[in-house]
Structures are given as C-alpha cells and as structure tokens.
Amino acid sequence: MKIKIVADSSADVLALEGVEYSSVPLTISIEGTDFVDDEKLNLEEMLHRLAACKEKTATACPGTTRWLKAFGDADRVICFTITSGLSGTYNAASLAAREYEEKHPDRKVHVLDTLSTGPEMELLIEKAAALIREGMDFEEIVRRIDNYRKRTYLLFSLKSLHNFVINGRISPAVGALVGLLGIRIVGRASEEGTLQPMAKCRGDKKALQSILTNLKEMGFKGGLVRIHHCCNEVLASALRDGILALFPNADIRLGLTRGLCSYYAEEGGVLVGFEGA
C-alpha cells in the first residue's frame, strides 16, 4: 500500500528522501504580478516587489484540481496545510480529499489543519515521513501525527510590518515604529492558528533573548528545532548557537523561507518550529 505525504508550499519543503511527496503551491499577487510558490519562484524579485509595493497584496490557495493532481494514485495520503486562521487552503484540500475518496472508495486522505506554518509544518512532515519509513500502518501514523501536533510550536521574529500596513491590518504608525526604531515583534502561532504578538524588542539581540525565554517557558527541553529565515542568516545562526548553549543535544536545522512564509515574515523575519511539553 502506497502512502504519500502532500503539503502546501508554506511548509518550505520541496522534497523528501525515501518517501513519496508533493508540494502544492500557493500564489502571491503583488501589483498585478502573480508569484507561484514552487521550485521556479524568483524569491529575490518577489521580495523586492513586496518591499516597494504601496497597494494591497493578496495570496490565493491552491484549488481542488492542484490537490487532486498531487494526491496522484496513492492508496493513502497524509496532507498538511497552513493554518486555516490565515488561509482557505485547508478547506480546499478537504474538498479535494472528499472528491478523491468518492472517485476511489478504496483510498483514504487525511487532511490536517496544522494551525501553523513553515518550520512547525516541517516537523510534522518529518515525523510522518519517519513513521512511513518504519512501515507503520496509515491509521497509526495519523493517530501519532495528531498527537505529535499537540506538542509542537511556532515562534517568530518580524523585522518589518510593511505588508501588514499596506493591507490595513495594522496602522502606519505602528509599522513605522517597527521599521524605523529597530523594534522587532516576537510572537507565536496561537492554539487557534492565528499569529499572536507577544513582545516588542529593540534589535535582534533582545528578540533573540525573548525567543530563547519563550522556548523554555513553552516546554522545550532539547528536542527538534527547525529555523527558517528570510534573508537573516545572522539571527538564525545566533539563535541556533543560543539554543545549543542551553541544550547541547538539541537537533537543529536551518532553512530558508520560500514564497508564502517570506510574504508574511518579510525580509529579516525568522520562524522557529520546535518540540515542547
């Protein structure tokens, strides 16, 4: 029986070794130009256009046709989507799953609303892939992934809120405070799957300390950590080193945000997925 993992592109994962996998791209629209978040994305151009943009921007979730194509001919599919608190992607994937099962009554698709994005999604995908490699049956994998999600978390540090300002989500005054005075917003993905600000920190150093403090308070004890950054390798590396100084046995890997996460994090943003209590 073939088990396949499918995830939308906000996971920042394009391929997996030893497991069937497909990434389904979202689309970012900036001043009339659509940027498809796949392996061909020109991220540098997208970020440049986003930083200079003065009009509202938008994202579009993949339609059911894209999801069905990604499911392919798999007997069983485990599908991960960005939080439904930010996107309609989960609903689109769920519609595709029902259509797939109606066409193929002997097949099953489990769609998981991760209530998160980026590196936390990567942790969930990694866990599912490991269980598939072990030869575990589909139902047990689904059960374990659902339980695992309850102890994974996402923290973030944002250097710019320009995109939130032009889309009317925050006031220009607040956006200027973050951009001009060196303020960094540190926050988390809430239990409801929304982006929840937690602290305002002046500069990357204080943002780093805030993230480390929150890691410990949220139950991190030295397990897996995945750090994705948008053009901010300095902070990402400093965060890795700070975690290792406290938890030498932590398993940490750095990666880059792709289109969708770069759209939300903007240049300088850092996202941290980790195992907690």
Side-chain angles (χ1 to χ4, degrees):
M1 181 174 293
K2 182 166 66 175
I3 303 178
K4 184 176 185 179
I5 298 175
V6 176
D8 69 62
S9 59
S10 75
D12 297 328
V13 177
L14 287 176
L16 286 174
E17 186 175 346
V19 176
E20 285 217 33
Y21 176 79
S22 286
S23 174
V24 183
L26 286 93
T27 301
I28 300 100
S29 298
I30 303 173
E31 294 184 322
T33 300
D34 289 341
F35 294 89
V36 179
D37 191 12
D38 58 16
E39 68 280 356
K40 298 178 182 178
L41 173 69
N42 187 331
L43 183 58
E44 183 178 355
E45 180 186 352
M46 191 201 89
L47 288 172
H48 176 75
R49 293 284 297 273
L50 185 62
C53 182
K54 296 181 180 180
E55 301 177 1
K56 284 189 175 182
T57 60
T59 64
C61 64
T64 55
T65 300
R66 280 191 179 271
W67 287 108
L68 289 169
K69 182 178 180 180
F71 297 161
D73 62 351
D75 301 297
R76 300 289 185 267
V77 178
I78 303 172
C79 180
F80 298 92
T81 74
I82 185 174
T83 172
S84 58
L86 290 177
S87 170
T89 301
Y90 171 73
N91 290 332
S94 297
L95 288 172
R98 286 196 288 271
E99 183 175 339
Y100 189 75
E101 291 178 342
E102 288 172 1
K103 289 182 178 179
H104 311 284
D106 58 331
R107 301 178 186 178
K108 293 182 180 179
V109 179
H110 179 74
V111 182
L112 179 68
D113 179 357
T114 67
L115 300 177
S116 190
T117 190
E120 185 178 356
M121 284 180 70
E122 182 183 13
L123 287 176
L124 297 171
I125 291 167
E126 285 183 10
K127 184 70 170 180
L131 296 175
I132 291 172
R133 294 187 193 103
E134 290 177 15
M136 196 168 291
D137 67 73
F138 178 75
E139 285 74 17
E140 181 63 15
I141 293 173
V142 167
R143 187 186 71 80
R144 293 200 183 195
I145 292 299
D146 284 342
N147 287 332
Y148 184 60
R149 187 185 62 79
K150 297 173 184 177
R151 62 182 189 90
T152 59
Y153 302 91
L154 178 76
L155 289 169
F156 58 84
S157 170
L158 303 182
K159 185 178 179 180
S160 170
L161 297 179
H162 169 72
N163 196 30
F164 288 92
V165 171
I166 61 177
N167 285 295
R169 297 189 179 186
I170 64 169
S171 70
V174 173
L177 178 70
V178 172
L180 297 178
L181 297 183
I183 301 296
R184 307 289 186 263
I185 300 298
V186 172
R188 62 173 292 178
S190 71
E191 293 181 2
E192 294 75 31
T194 59
L195 299 182
Q196 177 184 355
M198 300 168 67
K200 296 177 182 177
C201 307
R202 187 180 290 274
D204 279 348
K205 186 175 181 180
K206 290 188 177 180
L208 170 63
Q209 290 302 318
S210 178
I211 292 173
L212 291 174
T213 297
N214 280 290
L215 273 169
K216 292 185 287 184
E217 291 179 352
M218 294 165 73
F220 180 72
K221 299 184 184 300
L224 300 180
V225 183
R226 300 295 178 257
I227 303 171
H228 296 180
H229 68 90
C230 182
C231 307
N232 199 347
E233 188 173 358
V234 172
L235 178 58
S237 297
L239 179 56
R240 175 196 60 204
D241 296 344
I243 295 172
L244 288 174
L246 297 171
F247 303 96
N249 295 323
D251 180 339
I252 306 174
R253 191 160 65 228
L254 271 59
L256 301 174
T257 57
R258 294 193 53 75
L260 200 283
C261 281
S262 294
Y263 172 82
Y264 283 111
E266 298 190 56
E267 188 167 344
V270 173
L271 296 89
V272 187
F274 64 97
E275 297 175 335

